[in-house]
Amino acid sequence: MIRIRPPRPQDLADLLELAVQPKVIWGTLIVPTQAEARMRTFVQGYGRAHCLVAEVEGRVVGEISLHPYEGARRHAAVFGMSVHDAYQGRGVGTALLEACLDLA
C-alpha cells in the first residue's frame, strides 16, 4: 500500500538514497554531491512549496513538490517528482501526482 504524506525530518536518509538513484538523476541537472542539501531543504519545505512523500512499508520511495508562482502568475505552478528506481512502475508516481493535483 502506498501512503502519501508530508515529509518529516526522519525521512532524510530515505530521501538521500532516493536522490542519487541513477534513473532519478538521469537527464536532470541534479548533482549527486548536492543531494543532502537539496533533501534537507525538501524536508524543511521550500518556502511556499507544498511537499509530499510516498511511503511503502515504512520506507519513503518517492517525493513530489508543487511550487506556485507569485504575482500575475499566481494561478500557475511547477512541480518536481522522483520515484526510487526499485519502485518505478508500481503506481508510486501516479499516487504522488494524484495527491499533487488534489492539492493544486
Side-chain angles (χ1 to χ4, degrees), residues 5-97:
R5 61 170 176 77
R8 300 184 286 229
Q10 57 266 38
D11 297 331
L12 188 57
D14 287 344
L15 287 166
L16 287 173
E17 180 181 339
L18 169 65
V20 297
Q21 293 296 299
K23 290 180 183 176
V24 169
I25 60 174
W26 183 89
T28 70
L29 298 176
I30 297 170
V31 179
T33 56
Q34 297 173 340
E36 185 169 353
R38 185 165 93 44
M39 284 305 163
R40 284 188 190 281
T41 302
F42 178 85
V43 169
Q44 295 166 356
Y46 290 115
R48 294 183 59 235
H50 305 281
C51 303
L52 298 169
V53 297
E55 181 182 291
V56 175
E57 297 176 0
R59 179 180 182 192
V60 172
V61 297
E63 56 87 10
I64 195 165
S65 55
L66 179 68
H67 305 262
Y69 291 110
E70 295 182 8
R73 296 194 65 206
R74 67 180 174 269
H75 63 283
V78 64
F79 75 94
M81 177 175 69
S82 58
V83 176
H84 193 288
D85 288 6
Y87 289 84
Q88 291 183 11
R90 297 185 186 187
V92 174
T94 299
L96 283 166
L97 189 53

